[in-house]
Amino acid sequence: MPDVNSVIKTNRKKKKKKQNIFAAIFQGLIPWKGDTAGEIIRKIVFLASLVLLTVTGYIILDTYVFAPARESAKYREEILTLYNQEPTAAELEQLPEKTINTEYAPLYAANNDFVGYLNILNTSVNYPVVQGVDNDEYLHRDFYYDYSDSGTVFADYENVFSPTEPMSANTIIYGHNMRIDSFFTEVARYYSYRYDLDYFKDRAVIEFNTLYDNAKYKIFSVMLVNTTDDYGEVFPYQTKINFRSRDEFNSFVAECFDRSKYYTGVDVKYGDELLTLSTCEFESGLSDMRVVVVARKVRDGESADFTEEEKEAFYENPVPKLNELMQDWYGEFEYRYWDPAWLEGYVPDDSFVDINEE
């Protein structure tokens, strides 16, 4: 049995040693009695630098992480309050004629630029959509028209929302990728290497209701697109609001299929209404890149959702079409892995791979 006194002495020595280590560290950082003038100056400069670094780090974190998160949470709470609010008689009177979605009256009263409400199940994408006089107006203004780095979700200024005119052939909606769970961050995840086909399967249907219509859209293309010619040819998806002919429509959709990361088997034909979501992409390390999601409106009599069997049939494109620089990284785009039967009236060529044999 060990001697009790020796154990106590050993523990005291260990404790004293620990105290001496902490004291040494403290004395090495804080000006101390007996320090030379040079040592005092060095310690003061070090401490001042440490404080400055800490404050600067906090400011950066607050500016780019904490503040956007607070702003997003507050914005979402306010929007959802409006969304769930019972319309007043005064708000109902402000609605345009032939409005069917009268529950949006509080949103319209708060901002007459309101044109619809966007929602993607299993994501944080649950926002009102506005439309400005151009595509810059709401880049840095929130739903209440106050300045905001996050901006708000907005439709292309050329899109049509009217009770008497049909919607544009392709409704384009833009939102910022804030790199936190707000606005279109989760839209960007459709093309992220950190999220796979399983993530996509439960987020492949988009709901977009306007004042005059309710609709769901099934995604058929998820693309990564360059917006400048620094990396090669540009696919000008944002200019395709309407189509002058079947050939122009088919050419656009075929390009979307070629570039898509995933295939859902959704067929498309001239006359279908399309919905396009667009947001910034940062993972590639290239500037001015966009993740673009294109969906087709659910037709009359068609199921509004994918069945589990249909989801299991989703598959990934082995080599999607990318810009020239990225094609060098990931392999040349030579073959097409989508079924030409998905695009009515499209004439296939030798570049198609028979997916039934793959």
Side-chain angles (χ1 to χ4, degrees), residues 89-311:
E91 290 169 342
L92 289 170
E93 287 180 3
Q94 293 184 48
L95 288 171
E97 290 184 10
K98 300 184 178 181
T99 294
I100 66 166
N101 285 317
T102 56
E103 68 271 25
Y104 295 149
L107 291 164
Y108 184 81
N111 185 343
N112 289 170
D113 287 338
F114 170 84
V115 294
Y117 204 92
L118 183 72
N119 179 52
I120 304 178
L121 194 65
N122 300 318
T123 75
S124 62
V125 179
N126 186 28
Y127 294 104
V129 178
V130 296
Q131 185 180 43
V133 296
D134 54 37
N135 287 340
D136 294 325
E137 186 173 0
Y138 280 98
L139 273 176
H140 296 295
R141 291 191 181 277
D142 66 16
F143 182 77
Y144 302 100
Y145 213 70
D146 296 322
Y147 179 83
S148 168
D149 285 334
S150 306
T152 194
V153 177
F154 64 94
D156 194 282
Y157 77 101
E158 291 189 306
N159 282 134
V160 174
F161 301 96
S162 167
T164 57
E165 299 178 53
M167 288 181 65
S168 306
N170 184 21
T171 298
I172 305 177
I173 299 178
Y174 305 92
H176 284 302
N177 174 5
M178 300 306 297
R179 291 185 261 198
I180 56 175
D181 286 344
S182 64
F183 296 97
F184 275 10
T185 297
E186 289 189 80
V187 173
R189 288 176 184 170
Y190 284 131
Y191 215 102
S192 169
Y193 69 88
R194 294 175 295 170
Y195 297 87
D196 59 13
L197 185 59
D198 286 333
Y199 175 86
F200 173 71
K201 285 178 180 178
D202 292 327
R203 297 160 181 83
V205 176
I206 304 168
E207 182 177 8
F208 179 53
N209 300 328
T210 69
L211 292 169
Y212 318 106
D213 186 37
N214 294 321
K216 285 189 174 182
Y217 299 78
K218 293 182 174 180
I219 295 173
F220 66 84
S221 179
V222 176
M223 305 180 285
L224 185 59
V225 179
N226 53 301
T227 59
T228 69
D229 59 8
D230 293 344
Y231 314 122
E233 181 185 2
V234 175
F235 175 42
Y237 68 93
Q238 69 273 31
T239 67
K240 303 302 181 180
I241 304 291
N242 290 295
F243 303 94
R244 292 167 293 183
S245 66
R246 181 188 299 273
D247 287 343
E248 184 180 9
F249 177 84
N250 283 0
S251 176
F252 172 78
V253 174
E255 193 76 23
C256 293
F257 278 136
D258 287 346
R259 294 172 176 272
S260 186
K261 180 179 181 180
Y262 301 121
Y263 290 130
T264 60
V266 171
D267 67 299
V268 187
K269 62 182 178 181
Y270 184 55
D272 282 333
E273 290 181 22
L274 306 183
L275 178 68
T276 298
L277 307 184
S278 175
T279 192
C280 292
E281 186 273 347
F282 303 109
E283 284 188 4
S284 67
L286 304 180
S287 60
D288 299 315
M289 298 295 292
R290 300 291 183 271
V291 172
V292 182
V293 175
V294 190
R296 187 261 289 160
K297 185 177 179 180
V298 172
R299 302 173 189 139
D300 292 340
E302 180 184 18
S303 172
D305 295 293
F306 291 102
T307 66
E308 289 303 314
E309 185 178 3
E310 287 173 330
K311 289 180 183 179

